[in-house]
Amino acid sequence: MIKAQITDKELIAHLDKIEADQLRIFTMADGRIRGALFHGTRFVNQMRAQHKLGILETYILGQASLCGALTIPMMKDMEHTLIRFEGTGPAEGYTVEADSTGYVRSYLENEHIKIDKPLENWNLKPFLGVGNITFSRIHKDDKYPQSSTVDVDGENIARDFASYFAQSEQINTAFNSSIQFDKAGRVTGAGAMYIQIMPKTGGTAELGSQVDSHQEEDKDEENLLRRVENAFRACPSIGQLYSESEVDSEDIILGLFREFQPTITMKRDIIWDCPCNKEYYIEHIRGLPAKDLEDIRKNGPDPLEVVCRKCGSVYHIPVSEI
């Protein structure tokens, strides 16, 4: 990827003041709940710079990319996940790729959404429309991806992700993502969180070795899950929190879930990046039919301009290098 530079001095100064981007994985309630909190302010700004997006487009693709980043700690071993939404709205859809090595890349089908009137809220249904979301996962030893598709309403991307996990994975999962803009339209804060209810066999050794995971939840269990869900819903805007320089991710986790004794088990860096490079496209062009290559050599253009759809990088390739 050719990394786009962020040149807004005021934005750069703000980014220098706030906590570094990082994903924190945590467990709580005796292992019954697992989750992750991702601070992604620089992540979203890099995505925006790569694709040169407006505010609405940044909001849509940023939300999808943040939620996609949260799937990384759910991956097993070396895994790559492609998440694709296809909708009936003018945005048409989005694609997010997340890799277990810690990078995410993404793009909108339509990067220039027409807006007829000022936005009154962040309901995305007028722009995404009803549609479906497909998760395609491929492990290092798989020949073909494993894919699953569910219908979603396109109103809220975080809820669409939760709906996918409830329907396809049959795991109760809640997502929350948020992007904060300042008056000039700069992204000053961005982040996302998920929590996931694990089967009873996923708790402590004492609990997991003795309990049938399919048994009906008892009243204490139901009460626990209700209190955890209420705490999750009580979270203020994550984007707004991260826009404030004094906010710390660990304080957010402990503040929301203190009564459930959360433990942060891992921290890892997640970046918005793309593995594309000039050599990849040279090899791809060399694979064109001989008549097409001959036409390029005779008629140009020289250099060829190749744009990576997935990250917006522009490569200029001299014909002499093909």
Side-chain angles (χ1 to χ4, degrees), residues 1 43 47 50-51 65 104-106 271-273 310-311:
M1 182 179 85
F43 172 94
M47 176 209 76
Q50 291 296 139
H51 288 295
S65 301
V104 175
R105 62 180 178 178
S106 55
I271 60 172
W272 201 96
D273 197 10
K310 296 178 179 181
C311 73

Side-chain angles (χ1 to χ4, degrees), residues 57-70:
E57 294 83 359
T58 298
Y59 186 79
I60 293 173
L61 191 59
Q63 296 270 359
S65 301
L66 289 165
C67 289
L70 289 178

Side-chain angles (χ1 to χ4, degrees), residues 6 11 47 74 106 144 238:
I6 297 171
L11 176 59
M47 176 209 76
M74 304 179 194
S106 55
Y144 305 102
I238 298 175

Side-chain angles (χ1 to χ4, degrees), residues 38 46 90 95-96 164 188 258-259 278:
F38 176 44
Q46 189 64 52
T95 297
V96 178
Y164 170 83
T188 56
R258 185 176 300 279
E259 67 171 300
K278 182 180 176 181

Side-chain angles (χ1 to χ4, degrees), residues 65-117:
S65 301
L66 289 165
C67 289
L70 289 178
T71 68
I72 291 176
M74 304 179 194
M75 295 180 183
K76 300 176 181 178
D77 301 321
M78 298 298 292
E79 184 175 324
H80 189 86
T81 300
L82 186 146
I83 303 159
R84 179 168 175 78
F85 172 84
E86 297 176 288
T88 57
E92 299 178 17
Y94 59 76
T95 297
V96 178
E97 291 184 57
D99 192 87
S100 59
T101 58
Y103 79 82
V104 175
R105 62 180 178 178
S106 55
Y107 64 91
L108 280 172
E109 290 296 328
N110 178 12
E111 294 186 346
H112 304 284
I113 304 168
K114 185 178 179 181
I115 303 175
D116 297 322
K117 60 181 180 179

